[in-house]
């Protein structure tokens, strides 16, 4: 056994989170794509069956009350809250990330007031945020200005209404400094909107502690909610009364069953709701969040960094020099829970890795992306993935 | 046996659709709330289990291609298309009805052009359409003018950009004349947007035949897709190139995996997509739509009218004079697939009906609502419901 393989065994033995793997349905594949679609938590199939057969099939319409369907968006929001450092009552689940970006940005611009005519958006963002930001700017009569996160400080001014940033870059895995960027946005009098898709469930976010104004995120990556499970929206408590939604559906009305012609927004996180929630996807997510029972995000973060450190070390040892190059920062403070490797023939290499049971993904044009979900990825997985990668790129 | 009970038996014997009831999971409750939440189709639980355990649990990320997840919104749209009289390639499934109303109305206003500054909306609509229309008007700089459907003709003018109407009123069950109203909207040079929530799956809609421009609808009523199953958006083929979405998420990009910073809309119905589709809810809907195999909407409509005719006759026979009053039109051409009865103590009466196994619903302040889904409601159900209602309001 190689030195790295025996190191992996020792690390797995000492891993306090190793037992969590049993909470998921996994096989002998090394699954490093949980940053795209989290693995299936073992308790989800039974829960979904109950929702379909009993709650829908037997109770039918009564389930809106009796099975707690109506209040699911807030209840599940409160379940996500501790994972992103938020007190209860500030997160609501529903709609896609894109739709929530639209709600958040338009509401942010309205909070900032008429005098501020510019929206800043991360120019390196996952594209949907940029497309939606462009629409939000167009529909609120503002100008959209794409800037790199490094340029945000100098781009901020009295014109800035809102800034939309990613906590972790989807491509490179770079972690941005949420506390200091939020503070800079606030110093300019603007509203900070954060996209947590690639950080929530992988590392501490501290929304309340750092005074974030609005945030959105998906739930199918490190939160393992299932394909296309609903996204969430965080609105800081003291801003909720000023949250003026561009999508004021009946679910966000103060009295939704009053069927009143005039819109009057509900108080609290409920104000972020729109239409009827997609109950099957939403209650699968609720079950998936139960895997977090007794798990601290700090412990997850510590293991995540150990996994990515070890992966980089193994890649360095197993891969011919110069064949791949990490575009993920080496510094812990700048690294999310993934490693992105630049590789000329990345598309082809990823196909061969998947054939050999190592699943990551490919991002155009030349990036191999490996996500590390500390709840179910171990150190032996990491060693094997790097070894297979080394053999693949050498072969 | 009463004369009405024996008539019910004869009608059930002659009912060519009676066998379809076996395609659903039902018990001895008379379920007349399918206009709120359709009953569970028998093939859905097995399909959902396969989606969860195999597609998500075993194939994981590969299912986006191998299980057809990525193309589900258009594929399922094409499955809905014949039920609403649309050729393939014009309907996409996803998001809630409210979100689709926003997409459709904003896009309609943009199609109508700068010179038209007014949006007409059905003043008697299900409230969410009105709230969302108000937001669409505000964000496009137009004025919203609520009018009753009867007033639409005189309200139309060269100022009208778009008109949002309901095919069937959610409260009274009144069916509006889609062909002639659409023609009137077109004669004024405006865009017609129809909400099909209470008609699709219950009666012929004829979207293509009548030249409707845009339409939206939910799938959890007469289409039995499950609680909060995704809604759909129809964009007439020759308008698709002009469909300028206010929610241009990455799923609607011409090259979604190109991850390009600039937005370039896809061609066709795909342009109506936004973010990642909620696969569990969506594939449950796909299975639910299979119950329509071999069923013609015309036959469903004929049975629907026979059911509501018979219900009105039974209510008249069993209920003390003046105790309830139908607010649903008697004329077939003006009736959807529900009967709404005004009743002073409607809230209390509905509670007692449900206790006795007759499930309808209550709409504030004084309406008993009974929906008739011809796929699984029979004439004996109708007679029993009316008999129990008669006993309840007399007692």
């Amino acid at each position: 056994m190689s030195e790295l393989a025996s190191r992996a065994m020792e690390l797995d033995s000492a891993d306090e989170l190793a037992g969590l793997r049993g909470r998921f349905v996994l096989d002998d594949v090394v699954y490093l794509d949980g940053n795209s679609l989290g693995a299936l938590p073992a308790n989800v199939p039974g829960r979904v069956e109950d929702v379909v057969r009993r709650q829908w099939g037997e109770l039918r319409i009564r389930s809106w009350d009796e099975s707690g369907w109506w209040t699911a968006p807030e209840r599940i929001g409160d379940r996500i809250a501790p994972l992103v450092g938020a007190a209860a009552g500030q997160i609501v689940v529903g709609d896609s990330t894109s739709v929530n970006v639209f709600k958040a940005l338009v509401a942010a611009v309205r909070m900032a007031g008429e005098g501020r005519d510019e929206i800043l958006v991360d120019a390196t963002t996952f594209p949907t945020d940029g497309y939606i930001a462009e629409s939000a700017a167009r529909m609120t009569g503002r100008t959209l200005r794409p800037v790199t996160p490094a340029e945000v400080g100098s781009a901020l001014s009295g014109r800035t209404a809102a800034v939309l940033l990613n906590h972790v870059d989807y491509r490179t895995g770079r972690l941005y400094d949420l506390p200091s960027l939020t503070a800079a946005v606030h110093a300019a009098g603007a509203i900070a909107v954060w996209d947590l898709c690639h950080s929530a469930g992988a590392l501490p976010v501290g929304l309340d502690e750092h005074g974030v104004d609005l945030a959105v995120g998906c739930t199918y990556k490190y939160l393992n909610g299932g394909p296309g499970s609903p996204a969430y929206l965080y609105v800081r408590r003291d801003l909720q009364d000023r949250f003026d939604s561009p999508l004021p559906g009946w679910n966000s009305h103060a009295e939704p069953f009053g069927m009143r012609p005039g819109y009057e927004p509900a108080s609290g996180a409920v104000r972020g709701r729109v239409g009827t929630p997609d109950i099957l996807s939403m209650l699968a997510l609720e079950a998936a969040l139960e895997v977090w029972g007794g798990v601290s995000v700090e412990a997850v973060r510590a293991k995540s960094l150990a996994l990515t450190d070890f992966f980089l070390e193994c890649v360095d040892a197993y891969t011919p020099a110069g064949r791949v190059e990490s575009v993920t920062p080496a510094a812990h403070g700048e690294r999310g829970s993934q490693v992105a490797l630049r590789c000329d023939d990345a598309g082809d290499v990823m196909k061969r890795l998947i054939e050999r049971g190592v699943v990551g993904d490919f991002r155009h044009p030349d990036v191999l992306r490996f996500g590390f979900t500390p709840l179910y990825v171990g150190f032996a997985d990491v060693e094997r993935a790097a070894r297979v990668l080394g053999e693949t790129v050498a072969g």
Side-chain angles (χ1 to χ4, degrees), chain A:
Chain A
M1 182 178 287
S2 73
E3 187 269 336
L4 287 168
S6 60
R7 280 261 308 289
M9 276 187 64
E10 287 163 26
L11 288 164
D12 278 329
S13 301
D15 175 15
E16 289 174 11
L17 302 183
L20 298 174
R21 184 178 166 96
R23 299 184 185 179
F24 292 85
V25 175
L26 290 162
D27 46 28
D28 61 352
V29 164
V30 178
Y31 191 64
L32 303 182
D33 212 3
N35 55 334
S36 183
L37 175 66
L40 173 64
N43 66 326
V44 166
R47 180 71 54 81
V48 171
E49 184 172 7
D50 181 65
V51 171
V52 172
R53 288 189 192 271
R54 187 181 60 84
Q55 297 183 14
W56 174 14
E58 295 176 20
L59 299 179
R60 288 183 286 263
I61 195 72
R62 290 162 51 192
S63 275
W64 281 107
D65 290 326
E66 294 178 25
S67 302
W69 289 355
W70 182 259
T71 52
E74 304 87 74
R75 183 177 71 243
I76 302 171
D78 283 348
R79 189 122 204 173
I80 292 171
L83 303 178
V84 291
Q90 302 175 101
I91 294 184
V92 70
V93 173
D95 305 308
S96 65
T97 305
S98 299
V99 169
N100 281 299
V101 168
F102 186 74
K103 292 181 213 170
L105 260 190
V106 171
V109 165
R110 289 173 175 174
M111 285 175 191
E114 286 301 322
R116 292 174 175 266
D117 67 354
E118 196 170 74
I119 298 173
L120 302 182
V121 65
D122 179 354
T124 61
T125 189
F126 185 75
T128 208
D129 290 27
Y131 308 155
I132 294 287
E134 181 72 50
S135 176
R138 170 183 177 189
M139 297 194 77
T140 56
R142 265 65 173 185
T143 302
L144 185 70
R145 184 173 162 200
V147 291
T148 66
E151 295 166 337
V152 166
S154 57
L156 285 163
S157 74
R159 290 181 56 187
T160 314
V163 184
L164 172 62
L165 294 167
N166 295 282
H167 197 191
V168 171
D169 184 273
Y170 79 101
R171 201 171 140 281
T172 64
R174 178 182 290 273
L175 170 66
Y176 290 102
D177 187 345
L178 180 144
S180 75
L181 281 163
T182 302
V185 171
H186 286 170
I191 304 288
V193 184
W194 284 92
D195 180 332
L196 310 177
C197 284
H198 286 271
S199 62
L203 51 90
V205 179
L207 289 176
D208 286 354
E209 179 186 353
H210 304 302
V212 166
D213 301 304
L214 297 149
V216 303
C218 78
T219 61
Y220 44 76
K221 299 181 189 295
Y222 298 106
L223 298 179
N224 313 299
S229 56
Y232 59 89
L233 171 69
Y234 164 90
V235 183
R236 203 179 68 217
R237 191 180 306 281
D238 60 305
L239 293 176
Q240 289 175 345
D241 285 349
R242 293 164 57 201
F243 184 82
D244 182 4
S245 177
L247 294 169
W250 72 293
N251 272 232
S252 67
H253 196 282
E255 201 187 340
F257 292 95
M259 302 289 159
R260 302 188 177 179
Y263 180 70
E264 184 194 334
S267 298
V270 175
R271 194 178 284 200
R273 289 175 64 162
V274 184
T276 303
D278 52 339
I279 292 299
L280 301 194
S281 293
M282 194 165 284
L283 299 191
L285 166 63
E286 183 170 36
L289 291 168
E290 290 175 10
V291 303
W292 291 90
V295 179
S296 87
V297 177
E298 287 70 23
V300 165
R301 173 60 169 164
K303 181 174 172 186
S304 162
L305 288 171
L307 288 167
T308 51
D309 274 346
F310 189 58
F311 184 68
L312 289 166
E313 182 182 348
C314 291
V315 167
D316 197 46
Y318 289 140
T319 309
R323 188 66 176 81
V324 302
E325 175 202 8
S326 175
V327 295
T328 302
H332 283 182
E334 296 176 10
R335 189 196 305 162
S337 199
Q338 76 177 51
V339 170
L341 302 176
R342 187 171 289 134
C343 174
D344 286 342
D345 47 347
D348 184 51
V349 166
M350 185 50 71
K351 265 187 210 147
R352 286 149 64 204
L353 287 178
I354 290 170
E355 283 164 13
R356 294 191 57 190
V358 173
V359 178
D361 61 25
F362 161 64
R363 282 295 174 262
H364 189 77
D366 61 358
V367 168
L368 299 167
R369 230 176 40 148
F370 300 96
F372 297 84
T373 302
L375 300 184
Y376 55 76
V377 172
F379 294 90
D381 295 325
V382 164
E383 191 273 341
R384 180 176 146 202
R387 185 160 31 86
V388 172
L389 172 65
E391 292 164 9
T392 301
V393 297

